[in-house]
Amino acid sequence: MADSQPDCLFCRILEGDAPSTEVLSTDNTYAFRDINPMAPTHVLVIPRRHVTDAAAVGAEHGGILAEMFDSARQVADQEGLAGGYRLVFNVGDDSGNTVPHLHLHVLGGRRFGWPPG
Ligand code: 5GP
Ligand code: ZN
């Protein structure tokens, strides 16, 4: 898979060709506010290298996944989510996945139900 996909919205955000509100930037990840937030904090953490979704993740992605989780924890710290937060990867149509570039939702600032809707 190429590092960047020309028709991918999140690759375009990474390249500055589409706007975003930055929350955190690291060597291999970028975190920005979701355009349609589902909670007071709703941030997306993405790898700078294009990966389609969580089902396309393999052993070779171990490093980037660890960096994504590290970024998510930093986002939670920055956003003051000491009471807890929810991390979500959607995969496929049944989950509601809409953007085919791996992204970790960081949701917080309110109480969440379980099971999820
Ligand atoms: P998914 O449903 O694929 O797991 O999540 C995709 C997320 O991307 C959705 O929560 C949606 O609101 C968000 N999103 C879609 N387009 C844009 C955009 O152009 N900018 C930002 N910041 N978020 C977007
Ligand atoms: Zn992409």
Side-chain angles (χ1 to χ4, degrees), residues 59-81:
E60 71 275 23
H61 297 108
I64 189 62
L65 270 191
E67 197 165 324
M68 287 174 72
F69 280 103
D70 192 58
S71 293
R73 194 203 66 253
Q74 287 186 59
V75 167
D77 289 349
Q78 277 179 215
E79 298 282 312
L81 305 181

Side-chain angles (χ1 to χ4, degrees), residues 36-110:
N36 184 24
M38 294 295 149
T41 290
H42 188 171
V43 172
L44 303 173
V45 178
I46 64 174
R48 293 189 178 278
R49 182 180 167 190
H50 183 91
V51 178
T52 307
D53 63 17
V57 168
E60 71 275 23
H61 297 108
I64 189 62
L65 270 191
E67 197 165 324
M68 287 174 72
F69 280 103
D70 192 58
S71 293
R73 194 203 66 253
Q74 287 186 59
V75 167
D77 289 349
Q78 277 179 215
E79 298 282 312
L81 305 181
Y85 53 95
R86 184 163 289 178
L87 300 178
V88 174
F89 286 105
N90 287 322
V91 182
D93 289 345
D94 280 357
S95 74
N97 182 216
T98 53
V99 180
H101 179 128
L102 182 65
H103 48 279
L104 177 56
H105 295 259
V106 182
L107 296 142
R110 69 171 171 87

Side-chain angles (χ1 to χ4, degrees), residues 1-12 14-15 46-52 99-102:
M1 181 66 77
D3 280 3
S4 179
Q5 295 283 298
D7 55 349
C8 171
L9 172 62
F10 287 176
C11 284
R12 291 181 59 232
L14 286 166
E15 277 153 24
I46 64 174
R48 293 189 178 278
R49 182 180 167 190
H50 183 91
V51 178
T52 307
V99 180
H101 179 128
L102 182 65

